[in-house]
Amino acid sequence: MSPRKPNMESSVYEGNDGWWHGRVTMGVKNDGSPDRRHRRAKTKSEVERKVRALEKLRDEGRAPIAGRKPTVEQWMTTYLTTIASLKLKPRSLDDYWSKTRNDIVPGLGQHRLDKLAPEHLERHYADMLREGHAPSHVLKVHRILSRALKIAHRRRMIVENVATLVDPPTVDETEANPFTMEEAKAFLLAAAKRPTFMRWLVGVGMGFRQGEALGLRWKYVDLEAELFNPHWQLQRLTWRHGCPNPHLCGERLHRFEKCAKGCTTHKGYKRGCPQPCPPDCTRHASVCLQRKGGGLAFTRPKTKKSRNAVPIPTPFIPYLHDHKDQQDTARAAAGEEWQDFDAVFTRPDGRPIDPRDDWEEFKELLEEAGISDRRLYDGSRHTAGTILNELGVDMPTIMEILRHTQISQTRRYVKGRSTLSKDAMLRMGNAFAPQPKAASETKTETADRKAARSRRRRRIL
C-alpha cells in the first residue's frame, strides 16, 4: 500500500485512455468541498509542466476561482449592471452600454473570458478601423473592455488582463481652434441681439462647459459675493424601460433589415440611417409608458474640482441683474404656464434650455458674426483659457478658473497665438543678436581736401 500524499501535493498518472493526467489541489470551493483542478497531456513532461504552472498560480494567490467562466458578453452585462453603475455618472454609463452593445459584443461577445487572447482584440480593432471607425472611438472601446477585464482579474476570474498586452490605435489630439479677441467680440456683439446674451457671455468670458452653463440655478449664484457655484449641470440622459418586457414594448419600432440605398425615411438624420436592431432588441425605451431615468436632468459634475466656486467678473454683474429682471418679466407674462426650475437660462416657459437648441444657436451666431465653423468647446472653454493666457494670467490661475484637476490638462486648453510667439522671438533676438552700428560720417577725403592740406604744409615749411 502506497503512503498517503501530503496535503496540497499534486498527483500525475497515466490513464487508461492513453493520456497523462494531473490533479492539483487548489483549496476548497465555496460549499466546502475540495477544489481539485485537472490537467491532461499526451506526454508526462507536458502534463508536469501544466501542473507546475497551475501550482505557481496557486502559491502566488493568482489562480482563477473554480467554475465555468462567463463569456465576454455575459461578463460585460454583469459589469455594467452591478459594478460600473455604482461608480459611473449616468452619461458615462450610457456611453459604456452603447459601445458594449454596438462594438464589443458583436466582435468578441462569444469568447469565454478565460480564453480571450490578445490576438482576438487586435483583429477586432483592425476590423473596426477598416469599417471606418475613428481611432479615438476604437481607443474608447479598448479602455472600456480593459476596465471590465481588470475587475475580472482582480476577482481572480482570469489569470491576466489581456487588454494590457495590446497596443490600441494612436490618436492624434484634436487641435483647439479658439476665438481670437476680435472674433470673441464679434460673436458677443451678435449674441447681444438675443435674449440668451448672458448665457454666451458666461460661456465665452468665463469658460463654462455647456452643461454647467445651462445647469446654473439662481440658488447657487451669489451676486453680492460675485460668485458662481456650479454644483449642477444639465444633461440629456438615455431613457430606460420600466416595463417587464422591453423587447415586446418596442415591437412597433424594431427594424431588423438595413435601409435600402437612397433611403428617404431617415434623410433628415445627421448621422445617417440607424443600424438594424439585434434579434433580442431591448431599445426604444423612449416610447415605453413606464420609462424612467431619461430626458433632460440636473446631474452632479464629474469631479469635485468642477464644483469649485468661480468669481464673476465685476463688469458682468449689471448684465446679470438686467437678465434677472427680464426673466421676472417673462415669468409674470407666462403666468400659470411658467414651469419654475430656478434655472438662470430658460426657455420662454421657464424650462431649462435644451442643449441641442443651444448648439444650433451657437452655429447661427457663428454665421451672423462671420466666424468660420468650429466646435462649441472651442468657442467657449478653449477661448477663455487662451485669452486669459494672452492677458498675462499665469497657468495655475487659469487652471483654477477652468477648474481642472491637473495643470497638464489646462495646457491642452490654452493655445499659443502666433502674435505672442512672434513677440517672444523678437525679444529673444534682441537679447542675443548684436545691435547694428549707428550711422556715422564718412572719413573718405576728397582730392580738394588733400590739395589744400598739402598747400598748408608747404607754407609752414
Side-chain angles (χ1 to χ4, degrees), residues 64-140:
I65 59 176
R68 185 174 179 83
K69 302 302 180 288
T71 63
V72 172
E73 180 179 5
Q74 291 169 340
W75 173 243
M76 290 302 301
T77 302
T78 301
Y79 167 68
L80 294 177
T81 304
T82 62
I83 302 172
S85 60
L86 302 178
K87 185 178 179 68
L88 295 177
K89 296 293 182 181
R91 190 73 173 272
S92 298
L93 185 61
D94 287 345
D95 187 49
Y96 272 47
W97 270 112
S98 174
K99 288 181 171 56
T100 297
R101 183 172 55 246
N102 297 322
D103 300 304
I104 296 177
V105 171
L108 303 168
Q110 300 308 308
H111 286 288
R112 242 177 59 184
L113 208 59
D114 57 333
K115 300 295 183 182
L116 191 65
E119 295 77 17
H120 298 145
L121 273 62
E122 290 166 345
R123 283 196 294 267
H124 181 54
Y125 297 162
D127 290 341
M128 290 179 66
L129 292 172
R130 278 194 295 270
E131 291 170 2
H133 289 289
S136 57
H137 181 89
V138 180
L139 180 60
K140 289 178 182 177

Coordinates of all heavy atoms in Angstrom, one line a residue, residues 64-140:
P64 N -7.2 31.4 -10.9 CA -8.6 31.8 -11.1 C -9.5 30.9 -10.2 O -9.2 29.8 -9.9 CB -8.9 31.5 -12.6 CG -7.8 30.5 -13.0 CD -6.6 30.8 -12.1
I65 N -10.7 31.5 -9.8 CA -11.6 30.8 -9.0 C -12.2 29.6 -9.8 O -12.3 29.6 -11.0 CB -12.7 31.7 -8.4 CG1 -13.5 32.4 -9.6 CG2 -12.1 32.8 -7.5 CD1 -14.6 33.2 -9.1
A66 N -12.8 28.6 -9.1 CA -13.3 27.5 -9.7 C -14.7 27.8 -10.4 O -15.3 28.8 -10.0 CB -13.5 26.4 -8.7
G67 N -15.0 27.0 -11.3 CA -16.3 27.1 -12.0 C -16.1 27.6 -13.5 O -15.1 28.1 -13.9
R68 N -17.1 27.4 -14.3 CA -17.1 27.7 -15.7 C -17.1 29.2 -15.8 O -17.9 29.9 -15.2 CB -18.2 27.1 -16.4 CG -18.2 27.4 -17.9 CD -19.3 26.6 -18.7 NE -19.2 26.9 -20.1 CZ -18.4 26.2 -20.9 NH1 -17.6 25.3 -20.5 NH2 -18.4 26.5 -22.2
K69 N -16.2 29.8 -16.6 CA -16.1 31.2 -16.8 C -17.2 31.7 -17.7 O -17.5 31.1 -18.7 CB -14.7 31.6 -17.3 CG -13.6 31.1 -16.4 CD -13.7 31.6 -15.0 CE -12.6 31.1 -14.1 NZ -12.7 29.7 -13.8
P70 N -17.7 32.9 -17.5 CA -18.7 33.5 -18.4 C -18.1 34.0 -19.7 O -16.9 34.1 -19.8 CB -19.2 34.7 -17.6 CG -18.0 35.1 -16.8 CD -17.3 33.9 -16.4
T71 N -18.9 34.2 -20.7 CA -18.5 34.8 -22.0 C -18.2 36.3 -21.8 O -18.6 36.9 -20.8 CB -19.5 34.5 -23.1 OG1 -20.7 35.2 -22.7 CG2 -19.8 33.1 -23.3
V72 N -17.6 36.9 -22.8 CA -17.3 38.3 -22.7 C -18.7 39.1 -22.6 O -18.8 40.0 -21.9 CB -16.5 38.8 -23.9 CG1 -16.5 40.3 -24.0 CG2 -15.1 38.2 -23.9
E73 N -19.7 38.6 -23.4 CA -21.0 39.3 -23.3 C -21.6 39.2 -22.0 O -22.1 40.2 -21.4 CB -21.9 38.6 -24.4 CG -23.3 39.3 -24.4 CD -24.2 38.7 -25.5 OE1 -23.8 37.7 -26.1 OE2 -25.3 39.2 -25.7
Q74 N -21.6 38.0 -21.4 CA -22.2 37.8 -20.0 C -21.4 38.7 -19.0 O -22.1 39.3 -18.1 CB -22.1 36.3 -19.7 CG -23.0 35.4 -20.5 CD -22.7 34.0 -20.3 OE1 -21.7 33.6 -19.8 NE2 -23.7 33.1 -20.6
W75 N -20.1 38.7 -19.1 CA -19.4 39.5 -18.1 C -19.6 41.0 -18.3 O -19.7 41.7 -17.3 CB -17.9 39.1 -18.1 CG -17.1 40.0 -17.2 CD1 -16.1 40.9 -17.6 CD2 -17.2 40.2 -15.8 NE1 -15.6 41.6 -16.5 CE2 -16.3 41.1 -15.4 CE3 -18.0 39.5 -14.9 CZ2 -16.1 41.5 -14.1 CZ3 -17.8 39.9 -13.5 CH2 -16.9 40.9 -13.2
M76 N -19.6 41.5 -19.5 CA -19.9 42.9 -19.7 C -21.2 43.3 -19.2 O -21.4 44.4 -18.6 CB -19.7 43.2 -21.2 CG -18.3 43.1 -21.8 SD -17.1 44.2 -20.9 CE -17.9 45.8 -21.2
T77 N -22.2 42.4 -19.4 CA -23.6 42.7 -18.8 C -23.5 42.8 -17.3 O -24.1 43.7 -16.7 CB -24.6 41.7 -19.3 OG1 -24.6 41.6 -20.7 CG2 -26.0 42.0 -18.8
T78 N -22.8 41.8 -16.7 CA -22.7 41.9 -15.2 C -22.0 43.1 -14.8 O -22.4 43.8 -13.8 CB -22.0 40.6 -14.8 OG1 -22.7 39.4 -15.2 CG2 -21.9 40.6 -13.2
Y79 N -20.9 43.4 -15.4 CA -20.0 44.5 -15.0 C -20.8 45.8 -15.1 O -20.8 46.6 -14.2 CB -18.8 44.6 -16.0 CG -18.0 45.8 -15.9 CD1 -17.3 46.2 -14.7 CD2 -18.0 46.7 -17.0 CE1 -16.6 47.4 -14.7 CE2 -17.3 47.9 -16.9 CZ -16.6 48.2 -15.7 OH -15.9 49.4 -15.7
L80 N -21.5 46.1 -16.2 CA -22.2 47.3 -16.4 C -23.4 47.4 -15.5 O -23.8 48.5 -15.0 CB -22.6 47.5 -17.9 CG -21.5 47.7 -18.9 CD1 -22.0 47.8 -20.3 CD2 -20.6 48.9 -18.5
T81 N -24.1 46.3 -15.2 CA -25.3 46.3 -14.4 C -25.1 46.5 -12.9 O -25.7 47.3 -12.3 CB -26.1 45.0 -14.7 OG1 -26.4 44.9 -16.1 CG2 -27.4 45.1 -13.9
T82 N -24.1 45.8 -12.4 CA -23.9 45.7 -11.0 C -22.6 46.3 -10.4 O -22.5 46.5 -9.2 CB -23.9 44.2 -10.5 OG1 -22.8 43.5 -11.1 CG2 -25.2 43.5 -10.9
I83 N -21.7 46.7 -11.3 CA -20.4 47.2 -10.8 C -20.2 48.7 -11.3 O -20.1 49.6 -10.5 CB -19.2 46.3 -11.3 CG1 -19.4 44.9 -10.8 CG2 -17.9 46.9 -10.8 CD1 -18.4 43.9 -11.4
A84 N -20.2 48.9 -12.6 CA -20.0 50.2 -13.2 C -21.1 51.1 -12.9 O -20.9 52.4 -12.7 CB -19.8 50.1 -14.7
S85 N -22.3 50.7 -12.7 CA -23.5 51.5 -12.5 C -23.4 52.2 -11.1 O -24.0 53.2 -10.9 CB -24.8 50.7 -12.6 OG -24.8 49.6 -11.6
L86 N -22.6 51.6 -10.2 CA -22.4 52.2 -8.9 C -21.4 53.3 -8.8 O -21.4 54.1 -7.9 CB -22.0 51.1 -7.9 CG -22.9 49.9 -7.7 CD1 -22.3 48.9 -6.7 CD2 -24.3 50.4 -7.3
K87 N -20.6 53.4 -9.9 CA -19.5 54.4 -9.9 C -19.6 55.5 -11.0 O -19.3 56.6 -10.7 CB -18.2 53.6 -10.1 CG -16.9 54.4 -10.0 CD -15.7 53.6 -10.1 CE -14.4 54.4 -10.1 NZ -14.1 55.0 -8.8
L88 N -20.0 55.0 -12.2 CA -20.1 56.0 -13.3 C -21.2 56.9 -13.2 O -22.3 56.6 -12.7 CB -20.1 55.2 -14.6 CG -18.9 54.3 -15.0 CD1 -19.2 53.5 -16.2 CD2 -17.7 55.1 -15.1
K89 N -21.0 58.1 -13.8 CA -22.1 59.1 -14.0 C -23.1 58.6 -15.0 O -22.7 57.8 -15.9 CB -21.5 60.4 -14.4 CG -20.6 61.1 -13.4 CD -21.4 61.5 -12.1 CE -20.5 62.2 -11.1 NZ -21.2 62.5 -9.9
P90 N -24.3 59.0 -15.0 CA -25.3 58.4 -15.9 C -24.9 58.5 -17.4 O -25.1 57.6 -18.2 CB -26.6 59.2 -15.6 CG -26.4 59.7 -14.2 CD -25.0 59.9 -14.0
R91 N -24.4 59.7 -17.8 CA -24.0 59.9 -19.2 C -22.9 59.0 -19.6 O -22.9 58.4 -20.7 CB -23.6 61.4 -19.3 CG -23.4 61.8 -20.8 CD -24.7 62.0 -21.5 NE -24.5 62.6 -22.8 CZ -24.5 63.9 -23.0 NH1 -24.7 64.7 -22.0 NH2 -24.2 64.3 -24.2
S92 N -21.9 58.8 -18.7 CA -20.8 57.9 -19.0 C -21.3 56.4 -19.1 O -20.8 55.7 -19.9 CB -19.7 58.0 -17.9 OG -19.2 59.3 -17.9
L93 N -22.2 56.0 -18.2 CA -22.7 54.7 -18.2 C -23.5 54.4 -19.5 O -23.4 53.3 -20.1 CB -23.7 54.5 -17.0 CG -24.2 53.1 -16.8 CD1 -23.1 52.1 -16.6 CD2 -25.2 53.0 -15.7
D94 N -24.2 55.4 -20.0 CA -24.9 55.3 -21.3 C -23.9 55.0 -22.4 O -24.1 54.2 -23.3 CB -25.7 56.6 -21.6 CG -27.0 56.7 -20.7 OD1 -27.3 55.7 -20.1 OD2 -27.5 57.8 -20.7
D95 N -22.8 55.7 -22.4 CA -21.7 55.6 -23.4 C -21.1 54.2 -23.3 O -20.9 53.5 -24.3 CB -20.7 56.6 -23.2 CG -19.7 56.6 -24.3 OD1 -20.1 56.6 -25.5 OD2 -18.4 56.6 -24.1
Y96 N -20.9 53.7 -22.1 CA -20.3 52.3 -21.9 C -21.3 51.3 -22.5 O -20.9 50.3 -23.2 CB -20.1 52.0 -20.4 CG -18.8 52.5 -19.9 CD1 -18.3 53.7 -20.2 CD2 -18.0 51.7 -19.0 CE1 -17.1 54.2 -19.7 CE2 -16.8 52.1 -18.5 CZ -16.3 53.3 -18.8 OH -15.1 53.7 -18.4
W97 N -22.6 51.4 -22.2 CA -23.6 50.5 -22.7 C -23.6 50.5 -24.2 O -23.7 49.5 -24.9 CB -25.0 50.8 -22.2 CG -25.3 50.1 -20.9 CD1 -25.5 50.7 -19.7 CD2 -25.5 48.7 -20.7 NE1 -25.8 49.8 -18.7 CE2 -25.8 48.5 -19.3 CE3 -25.5 47.6 -21.5 CZ2 -26.1 47.3 -18.8 CZ3 -25.7 46.4 -21.0 CH2 -26.0 46.2 -19.6
S98 N -23.6 51.7 -24.8 CA -23.7 51.9 -26.3 C -22.5 51.2 -27.0 O -22.7 50.4 -27.9 CB -23.7 53.4 -26.6 OG -23.6 53.5 -28.0
K99 N -21.3 51.4 -26.5 CA -20.1 50.8 -27.1 C -20.0 49.3 -26.8 O -19.5 48.6 -27.7 CB -18.8 51.5 -26.6 CG -18.7 52.9 -27.2 CD -17.5 53.6 -26.7 CE -17.3 54.9 -27.5 NZ -18.5 55.8 -27.4
T100 N -20.5 48.9 -25.7 CA -20.6 47.4 -25.4 C -21.6 46.7 -26.4 O -21.3 45.7 -27.0 CB -21.0 47.2 -24.0 OG1 -20.0 47.7 -23.1 CG2 -21.1 45.7 -23.7
R101 N -22.7 47.3 -26.5 CA -23.8 46.8 -27.4 C -23.4 46.8 -28.9 O -23.7 45.8 -29.6 CB -25.1 47.5 -27.1 CG -26.3 47.0 -27.9 CD -27.5 47.7 -27.4 NE -27.4 49.2 -27.5 CZ -27.4 50.0 -26.5 NH1 -27.5 49.5 -25.3 NH2 -27.4 51.3 -26.7
N102 N -22.8 47.9 -29.3 CA -22.5 48.0 -30.7 C -21.2 47.6 -31.2 O -21.0 47.3 -32.4 CB -22.7 49.5 -31.1 CG -24.1 50.0 -30.9 OD1 -25.1 49.3 -31.1 ND2 -24.2 51.2 -30.4
D103 N -20.2 47.5 -30.3 CA -18.8 47.2 -30.7 C -18.2 46.0 -30.1 O -17.6 45.2 -30.7 CB -17.9 48.4 -30.5 CG -18.4 49.7 -31.2 OD1 -18.5 49.6 -32.4 OD2 -18.6 50.7 -30.6
I104 N -18.3 45.9 -28.7 CA -17.7 44.8 -28.0 C -18.4 43.4 -28.2 O -17.8 42.4 -28.6 CB -17.6 45.1 -26.5 CG1 -16.7 46.3 -26.3 CG2 -17.0 43.9 -25.7 CD1 -16.6 46.8 -24.9
V105 N -19.7 43.4 -28.0 CA -20.4 42.2 -28.1 C -20.4 41.6 -29.5 O -20.2 40.4 -29.7 CB -21.9 42.3 -27.6 CG1 -22.7 41.1 -27.9 CG2 -21.8 42.6 -26.1
P106 N -20.7 42.4 -30.6 CA -20.7 41.8 -31.9 C -19.4 41.1 -32.3 O -19.3 40.1 -33.0 CB -21.0 42.9 -32.8 CG -21.7 43.9 -32.0 CD -21.1 43.8 -30.6
G107 N -18.2 41.7 -31.9 CA -16.9 41.2 -32.3 C -16.3 40.2 -31.3 O -15.5 39.3 -31.7
L108 N -16.6 40.3 -30.0 CA -15.9 39.5 -29.0 C -16.8 38.8 -28.0 O -16.4 38.0 -27.2 CB -14.9 40.4 -28.2 CG -13.9 41.2 -29.0 CD1 -13.2 42.2 -28.1 CD2 -12.8 40.2 -29.5
G109 N -18.1 39.0 -28.1 CA -19.1 38.6 -27.1 C -19.1 37.1 -26.8 O -19.4 36.7 -25.7
Q110 N -18.8 36.2 -27.8 CA -19.0 34.8 -27.7 C -17.7 34.1 -27.1 O -17.7 32.9 -26.8 CB -19.4 34.1 -29.0 CG -20.7 34.6 -29.6 CD -21.8 34.6 -28.6 OE1 -22.0 33.5 -28.0 NE2 -22.5 35.7 -28.4
H111 N -16.6 34.8 -27.0 CA -15.4 34.3 -26.4 C -15.6 34.0 -24.9 O -16.2 34.9 -24.2 CB -14.2 35.2 -26.6 CG -13.7 35.2 -28.0 ND1 -13.0 34.2 -28.6 CD2 -13.7 36.1 -29.0 CE1 -12.6 34.5 -29.8 NE2 -13.1 35.7 -30.1
R112 N -15.1 32.9 -24.4 CA -15.1 32.7 -23.0 C -14.1 33.6 -22.4 O -13.0 33.8 -23.0 CB -14.8 31.3 -22.6 CG -15.9 30.6 -21.9 CD -15.7 29.1 -21.6 NE -14.5 28.9 -20.8 CZ -14.0 27.7 -20.5 NH1 -14.7 26.6 -21.0 NH2 -13.0 27.6 -19.8
L113 N -14.3 34.2 -21.2 CA -13.5 35.2 -20.6 C -12.1 34.7 -20.4 O -11.1 35.4 -20.7 CB -14.1 35.6 -19.3 CG -13.8 37.0 -18.8 CD1 -14.3 38.1 -19.8 CD2 -14.4 37.3 -17.4
D114 N -11.9 33.4 -20.0 CA -10.5 32.9 -19.7 C -9.9 32.4 -21.0 O -8.7 32.1 -21.0 CB -10.6 31.8 -18.7 CG -11.5 30.6 -19.2 OD1 -12.5 30.9 -20.0 OD2 -11.3 29.5 -18.8
K115 N -10.6 32.4 -22.1 CA -10.0 32.0 -23.4 C -9.7 33.2 -24.3 O -9.2 33.1 -25.4 CB -10.9 31.0 -24.1 CG -11.2 29.8 -23.4 CD -10.0 28.9 -23.2 CE -10.3 27.6 -22.5 NZ -9.1 26.8 -22.2
L116 N -10.0 34.4 -23.8 CA -9.8 35.6 -24.6 C -8.3 35.9 -24.8 O -7.6 35.9 -23.8 CB -10.5 36.8 -24.0 CG -10.6 38.1 -24.8 CD1 -11.5 37.9 -26.0 CD2 -11.2 39.2 -23.9
A117 N -7.8 36.1 -26.0 CA -6.4 36.3 -26.2 C -6.1 37.7 -26.8 O -7.0 38.3 -27.4 CB -5.9 35.2 -27.2
P118 N -4.9 38.2 -26.7 CA -4.6 39.5 -27.3 C -4.9 39.5 -28.8 O -5.3 40.6 -29.3 CB -3.1 39.6 -27.0 CG -2.8 38.8 -25.8 CD -3.8 37.6 -25.9
E119 N -4.7 38.4 -29.5 CA -4.9 38.4 -30.9 C -6.3 38.6 -31.3 O -6.6 39.3 -32.3 CB -4.5 37.0 -31.5 CG -3.0 36.7 -31.4 CD -2.6 36.3 -30.0 OE1 -3.5 35.9 -29.2 OE2 -1.4 36.3 -29.7
H120 N -7.3 38.2 -30.4 CA -8.7 38.5 -30.6 C -9.0 40.0 -30.6 O -9.7 40.5 -31.5 CB -9.5 37.8 -29.6 CG -9.4 36.3 -29.6 ND1 -9.4 35.5 -28.5 CD2 -9.2 35.4 -30.6 CE1 -9.3 34.2 -28.8 NE2 -9.1 34.1 -30.1
L121 N -8.4 40.7 -29.7 CA -8.6 42.1 -29.5 C -7.9 42.8 -30.7 O -8.5 43.7 -31.3 CB -8.0 42.6 -28.2 CG -8.9 42.6 -27.0 CD1 -9.3 41.1 -26.6 CD2 -8.2 43.2 -25.8
E122 N -6.7 42.4 -31.1 CA -6.0 43.1 -32.2 C -6.8 43.0 -33.5 O -6.9 43.9 -34.3 CB -4.6 42.6 -32.3 CG -3.7 42.9 -31.1 CD -2.4 42.1 -31.1 OE1 -2.4 41.1 -31.8 OE2 -1.5 42.5 -30.4
R123 N -7.3 41.8 -33.8 CA -8.1 41.6 -35.0 C -9.3 42.4 -35.0 O -9.7 43.0 -36.0 CB -8.4 40.1 -35.2 CG -7.2 39.3 -35.7 CD -7.7 37.9 -36.2 NE -8.2 37.1 -35.2 CZ -7.6 36.2 -34.5 NH1 -6.2 36.0 -34.7 NH2 -8.1 35.5 -33.6
H124 N -10.0 42.4 -33.8 CA -11.3 43.2 -33.7 C -11.0 44.7 -33.9 O -11.8 45.3 -34.6 CB -11.9 42.9 -32.4 CG -13.2 43.6 -32.2 ND1 -14.3 43.5 -33.0 CD2 -13.6 44.5 -31.2 CE1 -15.3 44.2 -32.6 NE2 -14.9 44.8 -31.5
Y125 N -10.0 45.2 -33.3 CA -9.7 46.6 -33.5 C -9.3 46.9 -35.0 O -9.7 48.0 -35.5 CB -8.5 47.1 -32.6 CG -8.7 46.9 -31.1 CD1 -7.7 46.9 -30.2 CD2 -10.0 46.8 -30.6 CE1 -7.9 46.8 -28.9 CE2 -10.3 46.7 -29.3 CZ -9.2 46.7 -28.4 OH -9.4 46.5 -27.1
A126 N -8.6 46.0 -35.6 CA -8.3 46.3 -37.0 C -9.5 46.2 -37.9 O -9.7 47.0 -38.8 CB -7.3 45.2 -37.5
D127 N -10.5 45.4 -37.6 CA -11.7 45.3 -38.3 C -12.5 46.6 -38.1 O -13.1 47.1 -39.1 CB -12.6 44.1 -37.8 CG -12.0 42.8 -38.3 OD1 -11.1 42.8 -39.2 OD2 -12.3 41.7 -37.7
M128 N -12.5 47.1 -36.9 CA -13.3 48.4 -36.6 C -12.7 49.5 -37.4 O -13.4 50.3 -38.0 CB -13.2 48.7 -35.1 CG -14.1 47.7 -34.3 SD -14.0 48.1 -32.5 CE -14.8 49.7 -32.5
L129 N -11.4 49.6 -37.5 CA -10.7 50.6 -38.3 C -11.0 50.5 -39.8 O -11.3 51.5 -40.5 CB -9.2 50.6 -38.1 CG -8.7 51.0 -36.7 CD1 -7.2 50.8 -36.5 CD2 -9.0 52.5 -36.4
R130 N -11.1 49.3 -40.3 CA -11.4 49.1 -41.7 C -12.8 49.5 -42.0 O -13.2 49.9 -43.1 CB -11.1 47.6 -42.1 CG -9.7 47.3 -42.4 CD -9.6 46.0 -43.1 NE -10.0 44.9 -42.2 CZ -9.1 44.2 -41.4 NH1 -7.9 44.6 -41.4 NH2 -9.6 43.2 -40.7
E131 N -13.7 49.3 -41.0 CA -15.1 49.6 -41.2 C -15.4 51.1 -41.2 O -16.5 51.6 -41.4 CB -16.0 49.0 -40.1 CG -16.1 47.5 -40.3 CD -16.7 46.8 -39.0 OE1 -17.1 47.5 -38.1 OE2 -16.8 45.6 -39.0
G132 N -14.3 51.9 -40.8 CA -14.4 53.4 -40.9 C -14.5 54.0 -39.5 O -14.7 55.2 -39.4
H133 N -14.4 53.3 -38.4 CA -14.4 53.9 -37.1 C -13.2 54.7 -36.9 O -12.1 54.3 -37.3 CB -14.6 52.8 -36.0 CG -15.9 52.1 -35.9 ND1 -17.0 52.8 -35.5 CD2 -16.3 50.9 -36.3 CE1 -18.1 51.9 -35.6 NE2 -17.6 50.8 -36.1
A134 N -13.3 55.8 -36.2 CA -12.2 56.7 -35.9 C -11.3 56.0 -34.9 O -11.8 55.3 -34.0 CB -12.7 58.0 -35.4
P135 N -10.0 56.2 -34.9 CA -9.1 55.7 -33.9 C -9.5 56.0 -32.5 O -9.3 55.2 -31.6 CB -7.7 56.3 -34.3 CG -7.8 56.6 -35.7 CD -9.2 57.0 -36.0
S136 N -10.0 57.3 -32.3 CA -10.4 57.7 -30.9 C -11.6 56.8 -30.5 O -11.7 56.5 -29.3 CB -10.9 59.1 -31.0 OG -11.9 59.4 -31.9
H137 N -12.5 56.4 -31.4 CA -13.6 55.5 -31.0 C -13.1 54.1 -30.6 O -13.5 53.6 -29.6 CB -14.5 55.4 -32.2 CG -15.7 54.5 -31.9 ND1 -16.9 55.0 -31.4 CD2 -15.9 53.2 -32.1 CE1 -17.8 54.0 -31.3 NE2 -17.2 52.9 -31.7
V138 N -12.1 53.6 -31.3 CA -11.6 52.3 -31.0 C -10.8 52.4 -29.7 O -10.9 51.4 -28.9 CB -10.6 51.8 -32.1 CG1 -10.0 50.5 -31.8 CG2 -11.3 51.8 -33.5
L139 N -10.1 53.5 -29.4 CA -9.4 53.6 -28.1 C -10.4 53.6 -27.0 O -10.1 53.0 -25.9 CB -8.6 54.9 -28.2 CG -7.8 55.3 -26.9 CD1 -6.8 54.2 -26.6 CD2 -7.2 56.6 -27.0
K140 N -11.6 54.3 -27.1 CA -12.6 54.2 -26.1 C -13.1 52.8 -25.8 O -13.3 52.4 -24.7 CB -13.7 55.2 -26.4 CG -13.4 56.7 -26.4 CD -14.6 57.5 -26.8 CE -14.2 59.0 -26.8 NZ -15.3 59.8 -27.2

